[in-house]
Amino acid sequence: DLLPDEISFNAAITACEKAGQWEFALELLEKMTEFILESSVISWSSVVSALENAKKWQLALAVLESMQGLSILSNSITVNAAISSCEKCSKWQNALHLFYSMQLMSIQRSEVSFNSAILACSRARQWQMTLELFDNLQL
């Protein structure tokens, strides 16, 4: 009997992300525990990206928080997806909180991080914050 492993679960979660099926992506992440499989940052990042695409910012933040509770280290892909999720839903304060938290999590901020944070502030017409982020852009 063939049983799914972490790689097959990650592939299925990524397929759900690409198809806009965030509910199934979340369900697959939960099912990994039934198979006594350890989820990785790849699994969780794909779920956060699926939630970003669906504009489910609150769930994206909850998933990110769950990762921390399970001692799964986030990476820039995971946090950037969460920032972008907040940006897409005009939650600029949440986006900035995540952006500035990256340093505390020892995660290198990238062009994507800065651009998502800048766009979040710009869309919310927070021009002062937009300019402050732009001035601090150091790559």
Side-chain angles (χ1 to χ4, degrees):
D1 285 341
L2 288 176
L3 293 174
D5 61 6
E6 182 187 345
I7 294 169
S8 57
F9 266 101
N10 286 344
I13 290 169
T14 300
C16 290
E17 169 202 343
K18 303 289 184 219
Q21 299 296 320
W22 63 270
E23 298 100 334
F24 291 117
L26 267 174
E27 188 177 313
L28 286 169
L29 184 64
E30 291 172 8
K31 281 189 182 218
M32 287 182 84
T33 58
E34 291 176 25
F35 286 90
I36 313 171
L37 293 173
E38 199 169 309
S39 55
S40 69
V41 67
I42 296 168
S43 316
W44 291 81
S45 293
S46 294
V47 170
V48 173
S49 292
L51 294 167
E52 168 202 354
N53 294 336
K55 298 182 180 179
K56 300 288 183 184
W57 69 274
Q58 291 168 311
L59 280 174
L61 296 183
V63 168
L64 197 61
E65 191 174 309
S66 294
M67 285 179 72
Q68 294 168 347
L70 295 170
S71 299
I72 299 170
L73 296 177
S74 302
N75 62 18
S76 62
I77 295 168
T78 315
V79 179
N80 286 341
I83 291 171
S84 183
S85 179
C86 292
E87 172 264 311
K88 288 177 180 178
C89 296
S90 301
K91 301 297 178 187
W92 67 274
Q93 290 130 325
N94 298 85
L96 282 183
H97 175 74
L98 288 170
F99 176 79
Y100 287 116
S101 295
M102 290 177 84
Q103 281 185 304
L104 298 173
M105 294 185 270
S106 300
I107 297 174
Q108 180 75 31
R109 294 186 290 206
S110 65
E111 288 179 37
V112 173
S113 312
F114 275 94
N115 288 341
S116 294
I118 288 169
L119 193 53
C121 292
S122 175
R123 285 189 181 189
R125 296 195 168 103
Q126 297 294 321
W127 63 271
Q128 297 97 333
M129 289 303 304
T130 302
L131 291 177
E132 183 179 318
L133 286 166
F134 188 77
D135 287 342
N136 291 319
L137 184 60
Q138 297 174 11
L139 298 173

